Amino acid sequence: MVFIPSPTVERHVTEAGLKRPDLSRHLSREARARLPNPIKSIWKVAQVKPGTINMGNGDPHHTLYPISEMNFVVPSIDDADPVQAWRTGTGGQQVISSFKDEPCALSLRTAFAYGAGAGLQHVRDALADLNNRIHSPPNHSVSLSLGNADALTKCFRLLGDPGDSFLCEEFTFSAMTNAALPLGIDWVPIRMDEGGLMPADMERILSSWDEATQGKRPHVLYTIPCSQNPTGSTLSLERREQIYQIAREWDIVILEDDPYFFLQYDLDVNSATVAQHGFTRAMADALPRSFLSMDYDGRVMRLDSFSKILAPGMRLGWVTSNHFFAEKLDMLTDSSSQHPHGLGQAFVAELLGKDGWGADGFMKWVSSLCSEYERRRNLFMDVFRREVAKTGFASAEVPQSGMFVWIKINLEHHVRYRRIENSSGGPCTNTAELMDELFRKLLDCGLVMMPASTFAIADRTGRSTEGHIADRVNYFRATFVGTDETICNGLSIFGRTIEDWYCF
Amino acid sequence: MVFIPSPTVERHVTEAGLKRPDLSRHLSREARARLPNPIKSIWKVAQVKPGTINMGNGDPHHTLYPISEMNFVVPSIDDADPVQAWRTGTGGQQVISSFKDEPCALSLRTAFAYGAGAGLQHVRDALADLNNRIHSPPNHSVSLSLGNADALTKCFRLLGDPGDSFLCEEFTFSAMTNAALPLGIDWVPIRMDEGGLMPADMERILSSWDEATQGKRPHVLYTIPCSQNPTGSTLSLERREQIYQIAREWDIVILEDDPYFFLQYDLDVNSATVAQHGFTRAMADALPRSFLSMDYDGRVMRLDSFSKILAPGMRLGWVTSNHFFAEKLDMLTDSSSQHPHGLGQAFVAELLGKDGWGADGFMKWVSSLCSEYERRRNLFMDVFRREVAKTGFASAEVPQSGMFVWIKINLEHHVRYRRIENSSGGPCTNTAELMDELFRKLLDCGLVMMPASTFAIADRTGRSTEGHIADRVNYFRATFVGTDETICNGLSIFGRTIEDWYCF
C-alpha cells in the first residue's frame, strides 16, 4: 500500500498514538472460533511451487464461461459538468469494456473465477490508492464488501457477543441496529443535537457505566459521521477529535459507516489545485476529515459504498481497517457471502483504470454529483422556507452533506400538545401520538416522510436523566434527492397539510 | 407460481404427505428474534395508495446512475452444440443487452435501485418457472442467493443454535461445515459407500440418539446429492426416497446443496422430446429426481447455483423452500448482504428472456456443457485406466455427474501400511500418515490433488462402531474439468509418482 500523505491535513499524533491497543479483545466468540477454509489452506501450501498442476479444485475453465466481453455505456468524463451533461443528454458517452481473451485492466478470466473474500487484488489496490489519496490511513487494509449493510452486519458479527452493548446515535439507521438485536447486541443511545452525537454524553455513558449492574461496558461505537441517517447532521472536526479521544480512553472500536461521505455541499474545491493536481487532491483537501484519517490505533473500521455515487444495485463497497480485523473480516466473508461478484469488480477495475475514468475522473464525477445534489438541496430548502417554514409549524437545518433534511415539527404550538404526568421514566408528553397522527394525515394527503420514531433508539438501561426519547420524536426525515417535481409537489402537500392540521 | 407437473415423474404421495410439519420448531433463536426492517414496514403501509409522493427514502434517482446500457457478448444458442462452437471459436455470438431508458426484460432503473433481499420479482419468476419445469415443487418459493456458499451459511444461521448437531456426509465440503462450527453447530457424520450416504446409517444415528447424553437430536441434514463433494457420488432415486422417508420420520430439514445438478453425464435425452417440447422438458425428463421434487412436507431447502453452469464470479444462485422458511431467509438477507447485485440480476433476466437464450436455450447450453464435461470425464477415466489403474495401486468409480473423481489408494498393498493397536477409539491404521506422505510426494512432483483428510468429518460423539474415519482417508479428490493437457499431464505424474512411491 502506497502511503501518500495529504499535505494540507495536519495529523493528530500523540504519544499514546504509538501504543497500539489489544485488538483481539474486541473479537466475538464466533470470530475467535472461526477456522480458515481447509481447502484454501491446502492451496497456500501448494502454491509455493510454480508450474504445479492443479487437479484439486472444481473450478470451471474460463473457456467455458459463456461471456467473452462485457460493455457498460457510461458518461464521458470530459464534460466540464458530466452529471449535468448526462442528465440532459447533451454530453458524450464512453464505453467501459472488459474482455475474457483480450487485454484489459482486469480480465474476465479472473473476474469470473472463484476469488478471495476480500476481493481481487487489482480492485483492492485501486480502492486503497483512492483511500490513501483521501484519508492517508496508516497501516490499514482494504477489503471489498457488498455495500455497507453487508459490511456493517459483518462487523456486528465480528465484534459482538450476546449480552454486549454497543453505542450508537439516539436516532440512527434502525434497519442496521435491528439487524444486531438477534445477535444479542443491545444498543445504548448517545444524545444528539444539531451537530450530531454529543461527545460529552458518550463520555458520561462510559464513565458512569457500572459493569456490575449493566454488564460489559460498550466496546463499539456505530456512527454515521456525514449526513447522519436520519438527522442529516455532519460531525465537525472538533467533535470527531473528541470522539476519537474518548474512544481511545475507553478502548472503543469505531464503526465509521460513511455512505454519504462523497456527497458534500458548499465545498471549497480549489480550482488551482484541480488544474495542478487533479480532482482527487482538490476533493481530498475539501472533504471532511474521516475517523479513519486519525486512526493511528487501528480502532476504526471505515465503511465506504458505491451505492450513493454509482448505484445501489452495484452492491459494492469497501471496508478499511487494521490488518488484524481485516483478516478476521475476510474469513467471515469466505464463510458467508464468499466473495464479491466479478461483474461489479470488473466494472470498477475498468472504470478506475487507465481506459476508464481513472481515479481522477471518478472524483470529477463525484464532484459534479455534489453540485447536482447541492442544487437539489438548495431547491428543497427554498421551497421548504416558502411552503413550510413560513407557517411557523416546522423548521429545518440546512444539511451539509448526504440526502436528508431533518424536519422539526414545532409541536409545542399544537393545540392538542400536552404534558403527561409520568414518574416511571416513560414519556412526559403526547409527542409520539401527535406525530403518528400527522404521519397518517400526510399519508392520506399522498406524501410519505419517515417519522423519527422509526429511527429512535430507546434507552433500555434506564440511565438517561435527559428525558424519554419519545418526547423528542417530533421530526420527519425527508429526502431531497428526488426530482424537482417531487420536491415541489411534496413540500407543497406538506405545507398545506401541516397548516391544516394545526389550524383546524 | 405456475404449477406444471412433469408428466414422466411419478409423485410419491402418501397420506402423511398431507400433514405439514411444524416448521417453526426448526428456527434458530437468532431467526426467531429477527425483526422486520422498520423502514420497509413503513413502506408496506405507504404503498397501499398509488400516486403517493415518496420523500422518505434516500434512493439515488435513476437519472443519476452513470450506466445507461450494459452489454454481454455470449455464444449464439443456435449452434447444434453451442459449447463446442464457443470453445473452438467457430460459432456465432449474441449480445445480451440491458437498458436504463429503453425497453428490455428488466430495466436498469429497477436493477440498479435498492431491491428486496429475495431478489427482483422478474428474476425470481424466471427461476421459479425453470424450477417448476424441472422439479414441479408444490407450494415452494424462490429466493435469490449469492451462490450456494451464501445460501448454505444463511441456512445454518436460520436453523442452527449453539449446541445443535447437524447430520452430514462423512466426507463433505469442509469449507461449509467449518463455517457452521463458530455458530456452535456440531457435525454428525453419516457413513458413505460408492452410492453416497447410507440411509441405514442415518436411521441408526437418529434412532439410537440419546438426548440425555448427546444433546438435542439432529434436526437438519446437509447433503450434496449430485457429484457429492468430494466423493463424486450421486444418490440413487431409491436412496433419495429412503432418506426423505427417514427425514419425515424424524422431522429433519434437508439442505439439498446441488451445484452440480445440471452437470449430468450419460443422460438419455430424448431427441423426439427435444424436437417436440424443447430442451427443458427433455432435460427435466432425464435429470435425477431432486429431494425438492418429493417435498410435500416443505422440509427441503434446495440450493441451486449458476457458478458451475455460467461462472463462479456471477455469485448468483437460488434457494427454493417452503414459504415460511423463505420469508425468514429473506429477512436474514435484508439484515446482512441486503439484496443480490443488480448487474447479475439484469444479465440473468435478459439471458432467460425472450431476447436472450430463453429458458429453453439456457437448457440447451446446459445440455451442451454436459456433453463437453462428459468428454472430459471420459478422457480422464481413459487416461486414468492407462496411467494409474494399471498399476493396481489406485482405482476409481466413474462419476455420473459433476466435476470430481474420488480416487482410492489401495494402501493395503503398500509395504509400510500397518495396523496400530488402539483401544481408545482412535485410528487402527497408519492410513492418514501414509496419505500425507503421498500428498507431499505428489506436490514435490508438481501435482495437487485434494487429500480426503481435508474433507473428513470426525465422529466426535464417539458413537461409531464402524472404525475411525482416519482409517478411511485413503482417497484423493481429483477434478476432470481442467484442460485435456492438465488431465493428461496430471494423471501421468500421478501414475509415475504412485508407482515410484509403492515400489521404491
Side-chain angles (χ1 to χ4, degrees):
Chain A
M1 213 157 106
V2 189
F3 182 85
I4 307 169
S6 174
T8 60
V9 174
E10 221 178 69
R11 304 224 145 265
H12 176 83
V13 189
T14 64
E15 267 186 47
L18 303 171
K19 212 181 86 196
R20 308 275 294 189
D22 170 22
L23 296 167
S24 65
R25 88 160 188 103
H26 292 287
L27 289 185
S28 66
R29 278 190 289 274
E30 182 187 313
R32 282 195 295 266
R34 187 164 288 113
L35 302 170
N37 180 336
I39 296 166
K40 294 196 179 179
S41 302
I42 289 280
W43 267 104
K44 278 194 185 155
V45 178
Q47 277 179 335
V48 292
K49 196 166 166 173
T52 298
I53 295 178
N54 171 14
M55 300 192 90
N57 289 1
D59 298 357
H61 196 260
H62 61 75
T63 48
L64 301 178
Y65 301 162
I67 299 172
S68 60
E69 185 179 338
M70 201 165 74
N71 297 306
F72 295 86
V73 177
V74 303
S76 160
I77 212 69
D78 294 336
D79 282 289
D81 191 348
V83 170
Q84 283 315 311
W86 183 246
R87 281 183 64 226
T88 52
T90 56
Q93 293 185 339
Q94 183 177 352
V95 178
I96 300 283
S97 300
S98 304
F99 302 99
K100 183 160 73 70
D101 306 315
E102 291 167 47
C104 58
L106 177 62
S107 170
L108 291 181
R109 294 186 187 186
T110 306
F112 283 153
Y114 285 109
L120 297 169
Q121 197 59 49
H122 185 97
V123 186
R124 294 172 66 194
D125 287 347
L127 295 172
D129 176 59
L130 195 67
N131 260 357
N132 286 338
R133 293 165 71 177
I134 295 170
H135 310 284
S136 316
N139 293 316
H140 284 71
S141 175
V142 168
S143 300
L144 265 66
S145 74
L146 301 169
N148 283 17
D150 172 65
L152 189 60
T153 52
K154 281 176 178 161
C155 289
F156 292 160
R157 293 202 189 269
L158 200 67
L159 304 172
D161 273 322
D164 275 8
S165 298
F166 282 10
L167 300 167
C168 66
E169 284 119 353
E170 63 175 346
F171 293 100
T172 188
F173 189 35
S174 46
M176 289 298 98
T177 49
N178 271 8
L181 296 178
L183 315 184
I185 297 167
D186 199 15
W187 289 102
V188 179
I190 304 174
R191 283 296 301 268
M192 305 176 77
D193 60 14
E194 300 73 31
L197 85 82
M198 294 157 72
D201 198 55
M202 178 175 169
E203 172 70 42
R204 178 189 64 77
I205 291 167
L206 289 164
S207 61
S208 65
W209 193 272
D210 176 14
E211 294 208 326
T213 60
Q214 295 177 273
K216 189 176 153 192
R217 180 181 286 111
H219 67 108
V220 175
L221 165 68
Y222 165 50
T223 181
I224 309 167
C226 296
S227 185
Q228 199 271 344
N229 189 349
T231 66
S233 58
T234 298
L235 286 172
S236 67
L237 176 56
E238 188 189 355
R239 285 208 181 177
R240 288 172 196 239
E241 286 175 338
Q242 288 168 351
I243 291 164
Y244 190 82
Q245 197 51 43
I246 297 166
R248 163 170 281 178
E249 273 161 33
W250 295 98
D251 193 12
I252 305 285
V253 174
I254 299 175
L255 300 178
E256 180 175 36
D257 180 14
D258 216 353
Y260 307 105
F261 173 73
F262 288 104
L263 301 181
Q264 302 286 339
Y265 314 126
D266 312 313
L267 277 188
D268 190 15
V269 178
N270 189 314
S271 51
T273 309
V274 172
Q276 203 181 341
H277 300 287
F279 271 93
T280 311
R281 170 75 78 88
M283 286 289 281
D285 287 352
L287 288 165
R289 280 282 306 274
S290 62
F291 283 114
L292 177 67
S293 71
M294 312 172 179
D295 187 32
Y296 278 79
D297 284 359
R299 61 177 70 259
V300 174
M301 300 188 82
R302 177 178 167 81
L303 319 183
D304 280 284
S305 171
F306 286 115
S307 291
K308 309 298 183 186
I309 46 179
L310 293 177
M314 288 297 298
R315 294 290 87 214
L316 275 185
W318 64 104
V319 179
T320 314
S321 67
N322 68 70
H323 302 295
F324 178 74
F325 283 172
E327 188 195 344
K328 299 296 178 184
L329 179 70
D330 298 343
M331 282 171 70
L332 170 52
T333 301
D334 279 331
S335 287
S336 57
S337 54
Q338 202 161 40
H339 60 86
H341 48 99
L343 296 93
Q345 291 197 75
F347 173 71
V348 167
E350 299 303 331
L351 190 76
L352 298 180
K354 67 176 175 45
D355 296 328
W357 289 352
D360 236 52
F362 176 72
M363 288 306 286
K364 184 179 180 183
W365 172 262
V366 166
S367 165
S368 178
L369 200 56
C370 289
S371 303
E372 169 58 17
Y373 279 128
E374 186 176 314
R375 187 190 67 75
R376 293 182 192 212
R377 180 206 60 179
N378 292 345
L379 173 67
F380 184 106
M381 293 311 301
D382 283 349
V383 180
F384 183 81
R385 274 178 217 107
R386 202 166 62 232
E387 303 277 348
V388 184
K390 63 146 199 209
T391 65
F393 301 131
S395 57
E397 302 280 325
V398 181
Q400 295 167 41
S401 60
M403 301 188 152
F404 301 120
V405 179
W406 192 231
I407 302 175
K408 183 180 185 185
I409 307 299
N410 300 320
L411 269 196
E412 64 279 11
H413 300 156
H414 196 276
V415 66
R416 283 186 279 111
Y417 176 79
R418 64 176 195 278
R419 303 212 146 259
I420 301 167
E421 279 307 308
N422 194 323
S423 55
S424 64
C428 299
T429 66
N430 65 339
T431 299
E433 191 187 309
L434 287 177
M435 286 300 293
D436 189 55
E437 188 184 310
L438 179 55
F439 170 72
R440 287 172 195 283
K441 194 173 168 70
L442 289 168
L443 202 56
D444 281 345
C445 297
L447 177 66
V448 176
M449 287 184 175
M450 284 291 164
S453 57
T454 315
F455 307 98
I457 304 294
D459 193 335
R460 291 193 283 184
T461 62
R463 283 165 300 99
S464 180
T465 53
E466 315 278 328
H468 197 279
I469 196 162
D471 294 325
R472 297 193 298 277
V473 294
N474 54 321
Y475 291 86
F476 284 111
R477 186 190 81 177
T479 182
F480 54 85
V481 300
T483 60
D484 295 6
E485 198 187 356
T486 296
I487 292 171
C488 294
N489 294 347
L491 289 180
S492 169
I493 293 175
F494 189 62
R496 280 201 313 274
T497 308
I498 200 169
E499 202 153 21
D500 188 64
W501 186 61
Y502 268 85
C503 302
F504 299 98
Chain B
M1 214 158 105
V2 189
F3 181 84
I4 307 169
S6 174
T8 59
V9 173
E10 222 179 66
R11 302 222 148 268
H12 176 82
V13 188
T14 65
E15 270 187 46
L18 304 171
K19 214 182 85 194
R20 307 276 294 191
D22 170 23
L23 296 168
S24 65
R25 88 160 188 101
H26 292 287
L27 289 186
S28 66
R29 279 190 289 274
E30 182 186 312
R32 281 195 295 267
R34 187 164 289 113
L35 302 171
N37 180 335
I39 296 165
K40 295 196 180 181
S41 302
I42 289 280
W43 266 104
K44 278 193 185 155
V45 178
Q47 277 180 336
V48 292
K49 197 165 165 174
T52 299
I53 294 179
N54 171 15
M55 298 191 92
N57 289 1
D59 298 356
H61 197 261
H62 60 76
T63 48
L64 301 178
Y65 300 162
I67 299 172
S68 60
E69 185 179 338
M70 201 165 75
N71 296 307
F72 296 86
V73 178
V74 303
S76 160
I77 212 68
D78 293 337
D79 282 291
D81 191 347
V83 170
Q84 283 315 311
W86 182 248
R87 281 183 66 226
T88 53
T90 57
Q93 293 184 341
Q94 183 178 351
V95 179
I96 301 284
S97 300
S98 303
F99 303 99
K100 183 160 72 71
D101 306 315
E102 291 167 47
C104 58
L106 177 63
S107 170
L108 291 180
R109 292 186 188 186
T110 307
F112 282 154
Y114 284 108
L120 296 169
Q121 197 59 50
H122 185 97
V123 186
R124 294 171 66 195
D125 286 347
L127 294 171
D129 175 59
L130 194 68
N131 260 356
N132 287 337
R133 292 165 71 176
I134 296 171
H135 310 285
S136 317
N139 294 316
H140 282 72
S141 175
V142 167
S143 301
L144 265 66
S145 73
L146 301 170
N148 283 17
D150 172 65
L152 188 61
T153 52
K154 281 177 177 159
C155 289
F156 293 160
R157 293 201 189 270
L158 201 66
L159 304 172
D161 274 321
D164 275 7
S165 297
F166 283 10
L167 300 166
C168 66
E169 283 119 352
E170 65 176 344
F171 293 99
T172 189
F173 188 37
S174 46
M176 290 297 98
T177 48
N178 270 9
L181 296 177
L183 315 185
I185 297 167
D186 200 13
W187 289 101
V188 180
I190 304 173
R191 281 297 300 268
M192 306 177 76
D193 61 14
E194 300 73 31
L197 84 82
M198 294 157 73
D201 198 54
M202 179 175 169
E203 173 68 42
R204 178 190 65 77
I205 291 166
L206 288 164
S207 60
S208 66
W209 193 272
D210 176 13
E211 294 208 325
T213 59
Q214 294 178 272
K216 188 175 153 193
R217 181 180 283 112
H219 67 111
V220 174
L221 165 68
Y222 164 49
T223 180
I224 308 166
C226 296
S227 184
Q228 199 270 344
N229 190 351
T231 67
S233 58
T234 298
L235 287 172
S236 67
L237 176 57
E238 189 189 354
R239 284 207 180 177
R240 288 172 197 240
E241 286 175 338
Q242 288 168 350
I243 291 163
Y244 190 81
Q245 198 49 44
I246 297 166
R248 163 170 281 178
E249 273 161 35
W250 295 98
D251 194 10
I252 305 286
V253 174
I254 300 175
L255 300 179
E256 180 176 35
D257 180 14
D258 216 353
Y260 307 105
F261 173 73
F262 288 104
L263 300 181
Q264 302 287 338
Y265 314 126
D266 313 313
L267 278 188
D268 190 14
V269 179
N270 189 313
S271 51
T273 309
V274 172
Q276 204 181 341
H277 300 287
F279 271 94
T280 312
R281 171 77 77 88
M283 286 289 282
D285 287 352
L287 288 165
R289 282 280 306 273
S290 62
F291 283 113
L292 177 66
S293 72
M294 311 173 180
D295 186 33
Y296 279 80
D297 284 359
R299 62 176 68 261
V300 174
M301 300 188 82
R302 178 180 166 80
L303 319 183
D304 281 284
S305 170
F306 286 115
S307 291
K308 309 299 183 186
I309 46 180
L310 292 177
M314 289 297 298
R315 292 291 85 214
L316 275 186
W318 64 104
V319 180
T320 314
S321 67
N322 69 72
H323 302 296
F324 178 75
F325 283 171
E327 188 195 342
K328 299 296 178 185
L329 180 69
D330 297 343
M331 282 171 69
L332 170 52
T333 301
D334 279 332
S335 288
S336 57
S337 54
Q338 202 161 40
H339 61 87
H341 49 100
L343 296 91
Q345 292 196 77
F347 172 71
V348 167
E350 300 302 333
L351 190 76
L352 298 180
K354 68 176 174 47
D355 296 329
W357 288 353
D360 237 52
F362 176 72
M363 289 305 286
K364 185 178 180 183
W365 172 262
V366 166
S367 165
S368 177
L369 200 56
C370 288
S371 303
E372 169 59 17
Y373 279 128
E374 186 176 314
R375 188 190 67 75
R376 293 184 192 209
R377 180 207 60 178
N378 293 344
L379 173 68
F380 184 106
M381 293 311 301
D382 283 349
V383 180
F384 183 81
R385 274 178 218 108
R386 204 167 58 231
E387 302 278 347
V388 184
K390 63 146 198 199
T391 65
F393 301 130
S395 57
E397 302 280 323
V398 181
Q400 295 167 41
S401 60
M403 301 188 152
F404 301 121
V405 179
W406 192 231
I407 302 175
K408 182 180 184 186
I409 308 300
N410 300 321
L411 269 195
E412 65 278 13
H413 300 157
H414 197 276
V415 65
R416 283 185 280 112
Y417 176 79
R418 63 177 196 277
R419 305 212 144 258
I420 300 167
E421 279 307 308
N422 194 323
S423 55
S424 63
C428 298
T429 66
N430 64 339
T431 299
E433 190 187 310
L434 287 178
M435 286 300 292
D436 189 56
E437 188 184 310
L438 179 54
F439 170 72
R440 286 172 197 283
K441 193 173 169 71
L442 288 168
L443 202 56
D444 281 345
C445 298
L447 177 67
V448 176
M449 288 184 176
M450 284 291 165
S453 58
T454 315
F455 306 99
I457 305 293
D459 192 336
R460 290 193 281 184
T461 63
R463 283 164 301 99
S464 180
T465 53
E466 315 278 327
H468 197 278
I469 196 162
D471 293 326
R472 298 193 296 278
V473 295
N474 53 320
Y475 291 86
F476 285 110
R477 186 190 79 176
T479 182
F480 53 86
V481 301
T483 60
D484 295 5
E485 197 188 358
T486 297
I487 292 171
C488 295
N489 294 347
L491 289 180
S492 168
I493 293 175
F494 189 62
R496 279 202 312 274
T497 308
I498 199 169
E499 202 154 21
D500 187 65
W501 185 60
Y502 268 84
C503 302
F504 299 98

